[in-house]
Amino acid sequence: MWDSLAALAQGFAVAVQPLNLVFAMVGVLLGTIVGVLPGIGPALTVALLLPITYKFDPAGSIIMFAGIYYGGMYGGSTTAILLNAPGESASLATALEGNKMAKAGRGGPALATAAIGSFVAGLIATLGIALLAPWLVEIAVNFGPEDYFALMVLAFVTVSATFGDSPRKGLVSLFVGLALGLVGLDKLSGQARLAFGVPELLDGIEVTTLAVGLFAVGEALYVASRRRHEPETLEAVRGSLWMTRQDWRRSWKPWLRGTAFGFPIGALPAGGAEIPTFLSYSTEKRLCKHKDEFGKGAIEGVAGPEAANNASAAGTLVPLLTLGLPTSATAAMLLAGFQQYNLNPGPLLFAEKPMLVWGLIASLFIANAMLLVLNLPLVGLWVRLLAIKRPWLYAGILIFAVTGTVAAKPSPVELAMLALFGLMGFVMRRQGYPIAPVVVGLILGPMAETHFRRAMQLNLGDATVFLQSPVSATLLALALIALVAPIALDGLRRFKSAED
Amino acid sequence: MARPHDTIRRSGGWIDVSDLAIGVALLALAAVIFYDAQRLAPGSIYGVGPSVAPLMIAGGLVLLGLATVLAAWRPRADAAAEAGGIDRAAVVVIVAALAAMIALMTLGGGFVLACTVLFAGTAWAFGRRAPAADVAIGLALALVVYAVFTRALTLALPEGPLEKYVQQALDPLVRALRALPWPW
């Protein structure tokens, strides 16, 4: 414990260097601006802003990413409250109560409790990262390739099949991502797979192109196709911006409870921020003395889920930094950010580049504090971004999507893939297939294959190695349970409803 | 009840055409991966060759494709009856704008022109009917993005006839900015 606090202190020494503070500030600002825009969630925020950092040094740009990540989270809650347009399912609960508050002229306190709750959750969760990470790293050092493979299989299942409306749809998304991950030169044998003689495909498919295509182009197509069905109304922030004494009294416990739900579930690769936000929402609804207010704008329903959302987002950084395991689309984009500098998060990174890792963790604290200062007084400015006309907004998003893609890889093939992934994202959105598993599958698939083959090679082709290691056997068993349980429950439910 | 969008009536149920198409597409993808894996040379003696992962993934896709085809058949027209159809024209216009952008970038039209066309086309698809204003806004946005990316971030973007003049116009500005006393 003292070791990690000492390391964290060194990290702060890195983070408070003037240039790094500038990087954090720029990241926080860009993250908030892009995150506020409707239809842009945190994952797309990071994907769109990734090219901007291509020419910076690794430490600076990763610190900037910390700011973008947290900034995108804050920005998303503003959109949810004022526009009732949750950028992602984790903001659904916030949109539910927060938008009602805004309609009742209590938009100010709703935004304030979201911002302060996010700050409190971010603070506790970031402290959790600092304390938990060194401990996990010590365990992970002893992991063999078979254990890593099992860990990734578990992540595949939790990301795709455990939650969401249909395990089949999640698995379809995952396998499409895994198939895309095959494209390019095989790392171990040097043979080209699924490249069909196209030189641009030999390097594999860029994660950013896939994410920007699915999220940005796909979203633009989807919104354009349904424009006539869903008119939006922007709530102005009327009345006081500040929380009353009663607001504070009703908010602080939900903040802490939300954090308690969010951080462990985010850190445990247990699949996304939806679960903790809804757990928090239903808990607050049950515990609240003003039950009748729920559904009409209860402040607890904003405070709890917002804290849970932020805490779980910070929690996903634990498996990402210590094991190199992305468990959300946003974490996958952050991993891509690391990889552009040939940095591979995991136990080795903590040993080889402690200043970089701890500088990043310290920057998360700083970004969090900056966001609180930025968000409360400047909320009027962000609100104005929400008023941008939809045609210009989506046309602008497409320009940025194209710019990032063509700046990273100036080739018609890359642009054609962007458009193609856009169409794919549109069809998936329309048919209710989740998008995150595709992104996670693309980035995690090749890593899982490498570990699988290495494990087999070390054990002379004997596949029982995955069951002999206690860690790997346990993880695979968990994955199997997580895969079969929802399908079995679904089957049971259908069986029952067929009987009725 | 009216016939739900994109469905075919069959004796004893409905078939969701979109789900059916996705299922068939998954099976086709599996076939392509399977075919591609056949021509890979085997790996080392003990290890697992480069064709094992593709075959595993192709196998998974076959199962999921079959499951999706089965799911396309519905005893009742429930899920397919979602709110209304889609604005096909809007989707077609955006796809056309994307295609025009790719063609312009590839054939030497340059970044600025390509992005202007994409902006105006997308705005049209979203229901705006003021092409002159949208072209002007798109042009201005593309110019700003071009200036920031090529000068401030020193990233290369495709050049066409317009970009040369933009660079010439930017030079004095960049020189003036460089001359300022920056703290670092």
Side-chain angles (χ1 to χ4, degrees):
Chain A
M1 163 125 184
W2 290 114
D3 286 352
S4 45
L5 287 184
L8 187 61
Q10 283 188 324
F12 267 105
V14 175
V16 297
Q17 286 166 16
L19 196 56
N20 285 344
L21 280 179
V22 172
F23 275 121
M25 190 74 196
V26 172
V28 160
L29 268 175
L30 285 175
T32 313
I33 291 172
V34 180
V36 161
L37 298 174
I40 303 192
L44 181 58
T45 306
V46 179
L48 282 176
L49 294 174
L50 199 63
I52 291 180
T53 61
Y54 280 154
K55 292 284 167 93
F56 297 155
D57 73 307
S61 65
I62 282 168
I63 283 173
M64 197 160 134
F65 266 110
I68 291 172
Y69 186 41
Y70 275 20
M73 300 286 305
Y74 270 76
S77 62
T78 308
T79 322
I81 290 169
L82 295 180
L83 210 57
N84 195 13
E88 33 154 19
S89 42
S91 307
L92 271 174
T94 310
L96 217 60
E97 296 299 325
N99 192 248
K100 292 273 162 48
M101 284 181 74
K103 282 209 169 80
R106 304 212 338 115
L111 289 168
T113 197
I116 301 171
S118 296
F119 172 75
V120 171
L123 195 69
I124 298 174
T126 314
L127 200 66
I129 299 174
L131 295 177
L132 208 58
W135 178 72
L136 250 176
V137 161
E138 252 170 62
I139 297 177
V141 166
N142 299 318
F143 275 16
E146 65 279 2
D147 302 325
Y148 271 107
F149 173 73
L151 199 60
M152 285 165 185
V153 171
L154 178 61
F156 285 149
V157 174
T158 55
V159 169
S160 58
T162 317
F163 309 109
D165 53 348
S166 146
R168 173 183 60 82
K169 289 183 174 175
L171 284 173
V172 166
S173 297
L174 173 72
F175 270 79
V176 169
L178 291 175
L180 292 173
L182 289 173
V183 175
L185 287 181
D186 169 40
K187 266 183 230 143
L188 294 179
S189 72
Q191 299 186 68
R193 291 193 296 203
L194 295 173
F196 309 110
V198 181
E200 280 90 347
L201 289 180
L202 288 178
D203 295 339
I205 289 171
E206 294 282 337
V207 186
T208 43
T209 307
L210 178 74
V212 171
L214 288 177
F215 284 116
V217 184
E219 176 80 9
L221 286 167
Y222 183 74
V223 176
S225 79
R226 306 183 45 89
R227 185 168 48 86
R228 302 211 184 105
H229 302 300
E230 287 164 15
E232 286 172 331
T233 45
L234 173 63
E235 295 301 326
V237 184
R238 286 167 289 158
S240 167
L241 262 178
W242 299 103
M243 292 163 64
T244 60
R245 187 182 293 268
Q246 204 209 357
D247 289 336
W248 281 94
R249 216 172 25 234
R250 289 175 58 178
S251 288
W252 72 273
K253 277 188 203 153
W255 290 338
L256 295 180
R257 279 193 291 258
T259 310
F261 280 122
F263 183 70
I265 293 181
L268 265 179
E274 294 90 354
I275 306 300
T277 49
F278 277 97
L279 276 178
S280 164
Y281 184 76
S282 56
T283 307
E284 296 313 331
K285 195 172 176 178
R286 199 157 39 81
L287 293 177
C288 183
K289 287 189 196 110
H290 314 265
K291 278 199 187 61
D292 50 314
E293 280 184 30
F294 266 81
K296 291 178 212 143
I299 196 164
E300 290 89 345
V302 181
E306 251 330 273
N309 190 6
N310 248 46
S312 119
T316 56
L317 289 175
V318 174
L320 180 70
L321 289 175
T322 58
L323 304 165
L325 193 72
T327 51
S328 69
T330 322
M333 297 320 304
L334 286 176
L335 183 61
F338 276 99
Q339 285 176 342
Q340 76 180 3
Y341 299 106
N342 281 323
L343 295 168
N344 288 304
L348 269 181
L349 195 66
F350 272 82
E352 285 169 358
K353 297 217 156 70
M355 295 310 252
L356 187 119
V357 181
W358 287 103
L360 166 68
I361 295 175
S363 299
L364 290 172
F365 282 104
I366 291 175
N368 200 26
M370 281 177 173
L371 277 164
L372 186 66
V373 177
L374 266 181
N375 266 274
L376 287 182
L378 290 184
V379 77
L381 201 67
W382 309 136
V383 172
R384 235 169 273 158
L385 283 174
L386 286 176
I388 297 178
K389 283 188 180 157
R390 287 298 164 273
W392 292 340
L393 174 71
Y394 283 97
I397 290 175
L398 286 191
I399 286 198
F400 281 106
V402 165
T403 310
T405 308
V406 83
K409 256 193 177 179
S411 129
V413 177
E414 204 67 22
L415 286 172
M417 278 201 280
L418 180 77
L420 220 64
F421 291 144
L423 275 174
M424 193 171 114
F426 168 61
V427 173
M428 291 176 68
R429 275 286 317 255
R430 196 171 148 64
Q431 297 299 121
Y433 287 82
I435 286 176
V438 189
V439 180
V440 172
L442 173 70
I443 199 161
L444 212 49
M447 292 163 71
E449 187 195 1
T450 306
H451 287 298
F452 176 73
R453 283 161 75 176
R454 207 172 279 157
M456 292 290 275
Q457 214 152 20
L458 288 174
N459 289 278
L460 312 179
D462 180 6
T464 55
V465 58
F466 296 105
L467 301 177
Q468 278 162 8
S469 153
V471 176
S472 132
T474 314
L475 291 171
L476 286 175
L478 280 175
L480 190 68
I481 293 170
L483 179 65
V484 173
I487 297 176
L489 287 177
D490 192 44
L492 200 66
R493 208 182 56 220
R494 242 184 247 179
F495 178 70
K496 272 189 183 156
S497 68
E499 271 193 342
D500 285 345
Chain B
M1 197 180 123
R3 185 180 146 237
H5 189 70
D6 276 351
T7 54
I8 301 171
R9 185 93 170 92
R10 283 278 175 278
S11 55
W14 302 82
I15 289 175
D16 185 308
V17 176
S18 313
D19 262 354
L20 191 68
I22 290 174
V24 172
L26 292 174
L27 293 174
L29 178 63
V32 171
I33 297 173
F34 188 76
Y35 166 78
D36 185 72
Q38 294 303 305
R39 39 149 220 97
L40 292 169
S44 56
I45 313 163
Y46 289 123
V48 172
S51 63
V52 171
L55 292 178
M56 284 159 81
I57 293 170
L61 283 170
V62 168
L63 290 179
L64 289 166
L66 291 175
T68 305
V69 169
L70 279 180
W73 180 83
R74 294 200 172 85
R76 265 161 298 163
D78 45 2
E82 57 177 86
I86 59 170
D87 187 345
R88 272 165 216 273
V91 176
V92 170
V93 170
I94 293 182
V95 171
L98 284 168
M101 176 274 299
I102 295 174
L104 277 170
M105 292 247 199
T106 313
L107 303 174
F111 174 83
V112 174
L113 217 55
C115 281
T116 308
V117 169
L118 178 61
F119 189 96
T122 309
W124 181 278
F126 272 84
R128 288 231 351 138
R129 291 294 176 268
D134 290 343
V135 165
I137 296 168
L139 185 68
L141 183 65
L143 282 172
V144 171
V145 170
Y146 182 77
V148 170
F149 268 71
T150 54
R151 287 311 175 92
L153 301 170
T154 63
L155 290 163
L157 292 174
E159 287 185 15
L162 269 178
E163 277 73 5
K164 230 175 288 165
Y165 299 107
V166 179
Q167 291 294 0
Q168 277 169 13
L170 280 175
D171 275 334
L173 182 73
V174 171
R175 253 182 308 214
L177 278 176
R178 287 230 176 94
L180 289 176
W182 293 99
W184 55 81

